[in-house]
Amino acid sequence: MSAVRTLAFRRFLHEVGPVDAVGVEERVAKYGTRSIKRQAKVFGLKLAASMVDLTTLEGKDTPGKVAALCAKALRPDDRDDGGMSCPPVAAVCVYPSMVAAARRALGPRSPVRIASVATAFPSGQAPLATRLAEVRAAVGAGADEIDMVINRGAFLSGEFTRVGDEISAVRDACGQAALKVILETSELETYDAIRAASFIALRRLRPGDFIKTSTGKTSSNATLGNNQVMLDAIRDHYLASGVAIGMKPAGGIRTAKQALTFLIAVKETLGDAWLTNTRYRFGASSLLNDLLRQLEKERTGAYQAPYRFSEATESY
Amino acid sequence: MPSAPARSVRRRRTPTAPELIFGNLWEFDPSPETADPKLKAQYDLLIDGRFVPARRGARFTSINPANEKALAEVALADESDVADAYAAAARAFPRWSRLPGSERGKYLFRLARLLQDRAREFAVAETLDGGKPIRESRDFDVPMAAAHFFYHAGWADKLTYAFPGARHVQPLGVVGQIIPWNFPLLMLAWKLAPALATGNTVVLKPAETTSLTALKFAEILQEAELPPGVVNIVTGAGATGAAVVAHPQAAKIAFTGSTEVGRHIMRATAGTGKRLTLELGGKAANILFDDAPLDQAIEGVINGIFFNQGHVCCAGSRLLVQEGIADEVVARLTLRLRSLRVGDPLDKNTDVGAINSGEQLARIKRLVAAGVREGATLYQPPCALPRKGFYFPPTLFTGVQQSHRIAREEIFGPVLSILTFRTVDEAIEKANNTAYGLSAGVWTDKGSRILKLSTELKAGVVWANTYNKFDPASPFGGYKESGFGREGGRHGLADYVTLS
């Protein structure tokens, strides 16, 4: 199998081009040296908050926990009267069984969208029919967005067409719902593989869909490096086809500083048109309160204690 | 009024084709580095451990190229001051050279640590005086300068191990050193550290547009209690440099600068018995093959030419790109250029700062005009340059031919000439078809090709899938009109000793 895999991979890599790991790391290190102050910082912090997919993905999730999450998503800053200090987040992200609860909590016409992981998240190791049924169930229960996982087993054994066909099947099952394709970068291991997987997904997606780094369930999650490789792929695909796909790094982004650095990568790679929550998201939960904390610091000049901000999530 | 060259925007795609917008939706607020550079209004010469004015009392003004404002008055040394400096260095030599290596090493360690202690202050001073972005002086120049002192401090007591087979490693005596304006503090470190580690004493002349960090370093020499006369610093322009070269007491001249001045120095030292090392100009080829990792190669090409506004002797000023990907590469380069930030060097977000002097700016404009005249196509991204100060936008030339002046002469500015090639042999031939031979870059995914080119390219340094990487342990220097002698590593030490 490995010979087949190597050949298929090499052929595909030749088509989309390789990635130099040292060069990528060097490039992204420069984003960290950008210095964002005053108005630019406030703008960046609010933008980041508006891009958060506030997430809870645990076996112990309950409708009550999801309701608390939804309330936080609608009004991140509990002392905020008119929604001036912090906008609502982009979406809540839950398991399919919690979608109905989220819909009840948010109401039918909410500014906050409901994203549901599906397709036997996080492993994806279920028959395709089962995965598709899960997608349909989540959409039926009211999900606006579906976060699917790719079939890493198929990818690593060189069955790229199968990986792509499964994405197409899930896309069709989504109907009107937007699709986010999780590559699970830590299981692909190399930047070359991440670039290849990005293109497999990009070529199957519709405008308004996303590619996403990780499930948050493995040892390493979103990094500036894999974010950059995926942004580069999105740019190449857009310039070649005109189809604009969004990007969602997920897991491991816990601080406002990190989020701003990711946004600088977006600004300098894809430009202004991607600085919106219809094209860029953060899969995160504890990030939100750090953004609020930094916004409050910009407003008052002093850092507040963590307990001053309402807690409705746990780390992700 | 000299008119700016006409802008021609390369339109590769039709207007309906997808475009990326690098606009002002998220404009960064100014973020100036605020550390105090602790500059004095007046600087004197460092001779025999003391600051003394020039004998004739002459001074010149050092300005900030970013806004053309005066920074300080600097003493202008003439022959008599240079003679004083040599006399002091000669008096200091016997004791300094007989000091145990471990003791000399202690001084060098001390210099390195003191420089690190005052890193921010030196970074700001370097940026004010030379115009380079604070990001570079902070992250590259100052740390690298300290690294050179640390590295050579380690060699001071191990010199016999540096040269296996040699029984005696002897210093040369008094060394005259002349350094350029592109990396003022770093070049000072490249020169002083090996000379001091091997037991020589020094007369150093900084470039006239960038004397301030050397004079600030003189304060560190005093703070470190380096014995008087071991390092003497004389400031001034060409005449001062000529006096440093001509002085009979110089056992060696070490020069970094232009090939033109290098020729003068070579003539002046011929037949005098003075040893000589020259690190001169370059016209490096950055060779981009069609199998290269493109995004990283683009980043490397950008870094290779726009680092320090292209004021780099090893700048990758010629891009040789394989014909099949030429359009793609040019499109990506123009795209990348639009997110480069040009402006106030003190702003932490500035990528390309100010040109070092009005004179250099005029030279860049002259050569760019020649490029347009000779038929190459110019691209400059839309960018607002500050009204005061010396600035030049990042510039690409496509359709450059091997015979164009912009492909042959060193521009020493943010100007990239793009040429194409078809085969590996053609790339090698074009890369070597230059009077210079300082550095080259190779971008390919194929390891065997890297090995082949590293031996076929006549350049002192060949970088593979990276560019502008330096390390104190790695020797640096050129072929042909890029000079001779090496700096850094054991090879660099060898140029400051006699072996027996």
Side-chain angles (χ1 to χ4, degrees), chain A residues 18 20 24 26-27 33-40 43 232 235-236 238-239 263 267 270-272, chain B residues 18-31 135 295-296 299 332 336 349 351 445 469:
Chain A
D20 185 71
V24 169
E26 217 168 87
R27 172 74 185 115
T33 69
R34 290 290 190 222
S35 173
I36 310 299
K37 303 279 187 213
R38 293 185 287 277
Q39 282 312 304
F43 180 91
D232 286 339
R235 182 205 53 210
D236 293 348
Y238 172 67
L239 290 177
L263 284 182
K267 174 180 160 72
L270 287 166
D272 293 4
Chain B
E19 292 272 358
L20 298 176
I21 306 157
F22 293 99
N24 56 3
L25 175 64
W26 186 18
E27 201 44 67
F28 296 161
D29 284 80
S31 178
R135 181 165 61 81
D295 283 310
Q296 292 72 49
E299 212 45 46
R332 281 170 191 247
R336 180 68 183 89
N349 291 322
D351 296 318
D445 224 25
K469 283 280 167 301

Side-chain angles (χ1 to χ4, degrees), chain B residues 249-315:
Chain B
Q249 214 140 21
K252 170 196 163 89
I253 299 297
F255 171 76
T256 298
S258 71
T259 297
E260 188 191 342
V261 176
R263 281 202 192 94
H264 284 295
I265 293 177
M266 201 157 168
R267 265 186 227 112
T269 51
T272 60
K274 292 175 191 170
R275 290 192 26 182
L276 182 62
T277 48
L278 298 173
E279 203 266 89
L280 308 174
K283 191 73 191 175
N286 220 348
I287 306 171
L288 181 42
F289 287 95
D290 60 6
D291 66 336
L294 267 195
D295 283 310
Q296 292 72 49
I298 296 296
E299 212 45 46
V301 169
I302 293 279
N303 168 47
I305 182 63
F306 299 121
F307 180 57
N308 199 28
Q309 296 75 245
H311 301 331
V312 185
C313 44
C314 52

Side-chain angles (χ1 to χ4, degrees), chain A residues 283-306:
Chain A
S285 46
S286 58
L287 168 65
L288 184 58
N289 268 355
D290 196 49
L291 291 168
L292 293 179
R293 203 160 169 247
Q294 300 298 332
L295 276 168
E296 194 64 6
K297 192 254 171 188
E298 288 300 305
R299 200 174 68 81
T300 64
Y303 276 110
Q304 310 292 316

